[in-house]
Amino acid sequence: MTGHLVLVGMMGSGKTTVGARVAERLGWPFVDSDADVEARTGRTVREIFEAEGEAAYRVLESEVLAAALARSEPAVIAAAGGAVLDPANRDRIRAAGVVVWLQADPEVLAARVGGADHRPLLADDPAGTLARLAEARQPLYGAVADVVVGVAGRSVDEIVAEVAALAVGDGVNRR
């Protein structure tokens, strides 16, 4: 494979956990766009949302994603869940390498992240919010993904093995 391995999907789908382990397995750097936003600003995603709003966070998200995707060495990149909302981000993601959508139903995601207070979009109604976000974002994830990997009911080890195999070209049919 030339280029990056980019993981997309909803919050709670395992992009950070799977991405870090796949990167370790491949000996590649790992980049998490949410963590990069926090490192760059010295604030959490929640703090950015509360102080400046979602639009300001999305600008930062796009900037760090563009920088990650512009890296010359192959990397495993976990794109923030909402990064696909921006058409320019979708274009960058599609052009970056192999894109894997870590997919799970909103009910599974809610069970994983429903009580997480660091997720500002889930404050009032985690299950309902995740269902609405999934409905809006699924077509966008589908538009950028080369491969869909279902994560529900599977161990992290199983998912890591499948995604790592995709990164080295086992069975990926590029667009």
Side-chain angles (χ1 to χ4, degrees):
M1 179 192 105
T2 58
H4 304 298
L5 173 68
V6 183
L7 303 178
V8 298
M10 293 285 293
M11 64 184 88
S13 62
K15 297 180 304 287
T16 299
T17 300
V18 170
R21 298 227 350 233
V22 169
E24 182 180 340
R25 182 178 280 203
L26 298 175
W28 291 6
F30 174 64
V31 180
D32 182 295
S33 62
D34 279 338
D36 278 8
V37 167
E38 291 181 352
R40 181 176 179 183
T41 64
R43 295 180 293 162
T44 66
V45 171
R46 175 173 282 291
E47 290 168 341
I48 296 166
F49 264 73
E50 289 173 353
E52 299 174 42
E54 183 176 354
Y57 170 75
R58 297 291 175 210
V59 169
L60 293 166
E61 171 184 75
S62 292
E63 290 172 0
V64 300
L65 180 62
L69 295 171
R71 294 170 65 113
S72 60
E73 66 180 328
V76 177
I77 300 168
V84 296
L85 297 171
D86 182 324
N89 286 343
R90 291 195 303 272
D91 290 343
R92 286 184 198 104
I93 290 169
R94 273 193 295 264
V98 174
V99 182
V100 177
W101 173 13
L102 298 181
Q103 194 279 331
D105 291 331
E107 300 79 27
V108 172
L109 300 171
R112 290 180 172 192
V113 301
D117 66 354
H118 67 282
R119 303 200 186 259
L121 291 175
L122 301 183
D124 298 323
D125 175 20
T129 299
L130 284 164
R132 286 187 298 280
L133 290 173
E135 184 177 342
R137 293 179 183 178
Q138 285 179 354
L140 304 175
Y141 295 137
V144 299
D146 295 303
V147 180
V148 178
V149 173
V151 300
R154 299 179 67 198
S155 73
V156 173
D157 288 339
E158 290 172 318
I159 298 163
V160 167
E162 182 175 351
V163 173
L166 295 169
V168 294
D170 294 349
V172 174
N173 294 317
R174 296 283 298 151
R175 287 183 276 285

